[in-house]
Amino acid sequence: MITAICPGSFDPITLGHLNIIRRASRTFDEVVVCILNNASKNTTMFTVEERLDMISRSVARFPNVRVDYYSGLLAEYALNFDHGVIVKGLRAASDFEYEFQMDLVNKRINKRLETLFIPSSEKYTFLSSSVVREMSKYGADLTGLVPNEIITDIEKKAELWRNSNGK
Ligand code: ADP
């Protein structure tokens, strides 16, 4: 059984992420969406618990997809699976360079760990969690950018942010 591990910060999950997760779920026996700490991001909009809950609700209709969290390195996490492959969405050339580097780092820890890429769907090429965070803070409509199940969660959090910043 091959397990696709879809890693990321998911702060928050977007329809771009969900598109990759759905396509992976059709290709692999099972998919584990794994929330990881990104060392270069020291603050997140949502806590790990909130992100776990938001992703779980977004993937509830996919029977072979589950959600997990790991506080260490992805290459170490992948050792938990007999046949785990990292599956990532690829948007632009800039993603490619970064991913090439990450694969090199992962292979130093876990030589047999492979990373496979799924090309981003055209309509989500420019979508990222940071775009969603920014838009939400200015009260923009998030329909078509994130799963419907989590729109209210983001709006509530953005409102808290606006209140605490006096906007
Ligand atoms: P990170 O914290 O590593 O930036 P993200 O949570 O932003 O992680 O994204 C996780 C993964 O999802 C990455 O492999 C990224 O390339 C992919 N991804 C993010 N947005 C999209 C999108 N709009 N279309 C396809 N893949 C995406």
Side-chain angles (χ1 to χ4, degrees):
M1 184 166 85
I2 300 182
T3 307
I5 304 163
C6 292
S9 311
F10 304 103
D11 186 40
I13 185 169
T14 69
L15 287 183
H17 292 128
L18 198 61
N19 178 263
I20 300 297
I21 294 165
R22 183 174 51 78
R23 289 158 69 194
S25 78
R26 288 187 193 145
T27 311
F28 296 92
D29 302 304
E30 65 165 1
V31 176
V32 179
V33 180
C34 185
I35 301 174
L36 293 164
N37 287 321
N38 185 329
S40 61
K41 296 178 190 169
N42 43 19
T43 52
T44 55
M45 184 169 184
F46 296 93
T47 65
V48 170
E49 290 71 25
E50 287 168 335
R51 282 178 274 160
L52 275 170
D53 175 57
M54 288 157 76
I55 301 171
S56 299
R57 280 186 275 130
S58 307
V59 303
R61 63 183 180 280
F62 307 128
N64 63 338
V65 179
R66 60 187 174 89
V67 192
D68 200 3
Y69 164 71
Y70 189 66
S71 59
L73 290 168
L74 174 60
E76 285 171 4
Y77 176 76
L79 293 171
N80 291 320
F81 302 89
D82 289 335
H83 298 287
V85 293
I86 300 172
V87 172
K88 296 193 121 184
L90 207 56
R91 284 165 294 189
S94 52
D95 268 354
F96 179 80
E97 241 173 75
Y98 172 76
E99 296 298 349
F100 222 86
Q101 228 172 21
M102 288 310 295
D103 180 59
L104 215 74
V105 172
N106 288 335
K107 284 228 168 56
R108 285 183 73 103
I109 300 162
N110 185 344
K111 237 182 7 216
R112 297 174 59 167
L113 180 60
E114 293 297 351
T115 302
L116 302 180
F117 297 101
I118 296 182
S120 172
S121 156
E122 201 182 346
K123 58 183 174 190
Y124 300 130
T125 305
F126 297 101
L127 181 56
S128 65
S129 297
S130 59
V131 164
V132 169
R133 288 197 299 274
E134 202 57 26
M135 288 180 70
S136 73
K137 286 174 182 174
Y138 295 96
D141 181 13
L142 301 177
T143 311
L145 301 181
V146 300
N148 287 335
E149 293 86 348
I150 67 163
I151 290 183
T152 316
D153 302 66
I154 304 174
E155 284 173 350
K156 279 188 190 151
K157 187 69 96 172
E159 198 183 331
L160 284 175
W161 181 85
R162 277 196 298 273
N163 291 340
S164 67
N165 283 277
K167 295 195 176 172

